[in-house]
Amino acid sequence: MELSGNGVRNGAAATAVTLIPGDGIGSEVIGAAITVIEAAGLQIKWDRQLAGAAALEAAGNPVPDELLRSLRRTHIALKGPLETSVGEGYRSVNVYLRKTFNLYANLRPTHSFEGVHTPFRNVDLVVVRENTEDLYAGIEHLVTQGVVESVKVITARASTRIARFAFEYARHNGRASVTAIHKANIMKLSDGLFLKCARKVAEEYKDIRYDEQIVDAACMRLVTNPGSFDVLLLENLYGDIVSDLCAGLVGGLGVVPGANYGERGAIFEAVHGTAPDIAGKNIANPVAAILSGAMLAAYLGYADAARRIREAVGAVLRTGSVLTPDLGGKATTTEMTAAVLRAMKASTAAYGSAAAV
Ligand code: NAI
């Protein structure tokens, strides 16, 4: 299944999409994604909105009403990363948006690229992360001086819903197995409930193999035999951590896209954060944002454009002559984006002349 939303096709009127450039490297990589998406022929009317640190600075609010109004109108966004300070300050705007718009399923397809050198080969897995509860419920309190509690919330409803999403995804994308990853040996009630729900859903999908693994052992297996995984089904926190680990298997955060899906909309964003260490230097890898754009294209019904974007990215990585420093090259964000555009143009020209024969 290419997840698709309103099924708008090539040639239809422009679709309104909220555009959140984000903080840090956000505007650099989202700028790259927009250029590629538009070159692929998508007709989109971008509604540009600030969020996070940029919005706090400009409007005194990290989640401006204007942003929420835009998302209620469009139901779809392409989003750059947003800064969340550690141990203080406002709550994560990412978590807020996912919960407010009930974008319960975070999908992060992670696979090896020819030309990207890592010790791991043939990785081809998909992280499905529950997005709305777990320790991200944000329920924390001070019990007494020196003692705090954070509450982990797991419900049957959300666990069943995300398990069903994982199995549906597996079935429609020719995936063989779903592995539920947990710590139910310790958190017997919460992770136990998550597993109970996953097992019940698994019974409805006899065509998909279902298994389970404890999260620590799963991490070890991911770095010793990543090819043995297919679709990974995880609660919110494990999903967050494990998806960065998975990114490390295939070349890093610069190459892994993502999307947050709900019943009525979706926000497309790379796995990576604001990368403050390289922000403003024009050296961020734009691939993760560009591939998130391909997921957006597929969602909007532009399957062919999505395929052409992915193929162009694949060709640039395979050739290996224009790579950003995270992949061992010296190219800038702008140069790598231009290489993707050239690859897309070349494949369109080749396809055009082949079709004309
Ligand atoms: P990070 O993902 O921003 O950076 C981790 C490392 O990966 C850094 O060395 C960075 O340079 C590198 N990296 C990330 N993206 C890259 C790219 N496209 N090209 C080349 N290198 C790249 O994670 P970090 O440093 O833990 O978080 C920084 C900020 O980002 C924090 O405020 C955090 O809360 C936020 N964040 C936001 C996310 C979102 O909006 N979805 C997701 C993750 C973090």
Side-chain angles (χ1 to χ4, degrees):
M1 159 178 72
E2 287 273 38
L3 283 163
S4 61
N6 56 16
V8 176
R9 303 269 159 198
N10 288 324
T15 311
V17 172
T18 302
L19 177 69
I20 306 166
D23 301 319
I25 59 170
S27 57
E28 298 164 61
V29 296
I30 290 296
I34 295 171
T35 312
V36 173
I37 287 169
E38 291 183 345
L42 270 73
Q43 293 172 35
I44 291 182
K45 195 160 164 266
W46 301 107
D47 183 18
R48 197 183 178 87
Q49 297 291 336
L50 292 180
L56 184 66
E57 198 183 315
N61 180 357
V63 198
D65 291 346
E66 191 62 26
L67 165 72
L68 298 177
R69 271 198 293 274
S70 174
L71 287 168
R72 280 194 196 105
R73 206 167 47 239
T74 65
H75 303 289
I76 308 170
L78 178 65
K79 176 186 156 301
L82 301 175
E83 183 184 309
T84 312
S85 46
V86 175
E88 56 177 20
Y90 56 85
R91 292 244 183 98
S92 165
V93 176
N94 298 311
V95 174
Y96 179 81
L97 293 178
R98 291 167 194 162
K99 281 166 72 172
T100 302
F101 293 97
N102 210 4
L103 304 172
Y104 66 91
N106 187 193
L107 188 79
R108 296 171 159 180
T110 308
H111 58 87
S112 305
F113 292 94
E114 219 183 306
V116 176
H117 302 293
T118 82
F120 308 97
R121 283 165 176 264
N122 304 323
V123 177
D124 181 15
L125 51 85
V126 181
V127 172
V128 175
R129 165 187 175 196
E130 204 291 322
N131 242 353
T132 61
E133 53 182 31
D134 193 359
L135 282 159
Y136 289 61
I139 307 169
E140 288 192 313
H141 49 253
L142 182 70
V143 179
T144 182
Q145 213 48 48
V147 182
V148 295
E149 283 180 349
S150 293
V151 179
K152 170 164 173 158
V153 179
I154 298 293
T155 65
R157 184 173 166 270
S159 303
T160 303
R161 185 170 63 170
I162 194 68
R164 196 174 300 288
F165 180 95
F167 277 97
E168 280 292 315
Y169 181 87
R171 179 175 277 173
H172 289 96
N173 287 276
R175 295 275 173 175
S177 74
V178 171
T179 305
I181 294 177
H182 64 93
K183 192 78 186 173
N185 51 331
I186 304 299
M187 279 158 280
K188 293 176 194 291
L189 278 183
S190 53
D191 286 17
L193 175 60
F194 184 78
L195 282 188
K196 231 180 253 171
C197 297
R199 283 174 198 159
K200 198 155 173 224
V201 172
E203 282 168 19
E204 297 168 31
Y205 294 83
K206 300 285 186 207
D207 49 324
I208 311 291
R209 201 171 64 250
Y210 170 71
D211 59 2
E212 298 168 354
Q213 189 152 35
I214 293 174
V215 63
D216 34 347
C219 288
M220 196 272 299
R221 185 174 140 209
L222 275 165
V223 295
T224 51
N225 189 11
S228 65
F229 283 103
D230 197 337
V231 175
L232 277 60
L233 168 63
L234 307 103
E235 293 169 4
N236 207 341
L237 178 63
Y238 307 145
D240 191 3
I241 297 167
V242 168
S243 35
D244 274 35
L245 187 159
C246 292
L249 301 173
V250 299
L253 289 164
V255 295
V256 182
N260 306 286
Y261 296 107
E263 303 298 349
R264 292 201 59 214
I267 293 183
F268 296 84
E269 60 175 339
V271 175
H272 66 70
T274 60
D277 50 337
I278 56 168
K281 297 181 179 167
N282 194 25
I283 55 167
N285 188 338
V287 162
I290 291 172
L291 291 178
S292 302
M295 292 174 82
L296 165 68
Y299 185 79
L300 292 179
Y302 292 88
D304 186 56
R307 180 189 52 76
R308 283 190 295 121
I309 294 172
R310 288 190 194 111
E311 284 177 3
V313 166
V316 170
L317 296 174
R318 196 164 49 246
T319 310
S321 51
V322 188
L323 299 177
T324 42
D326 58 308
L327 298 179
K330 290 199 168 117
T332 62
T333 309
T334 317
E335 287 164 347
M336 199 157 171
T337 308
V340 173
L341 290 173
R342 279 197 301 277
M344 212 159 62
K345 219 170 170 181
S347 79
T348 309
Y351 177 77
S353 56
V357 171

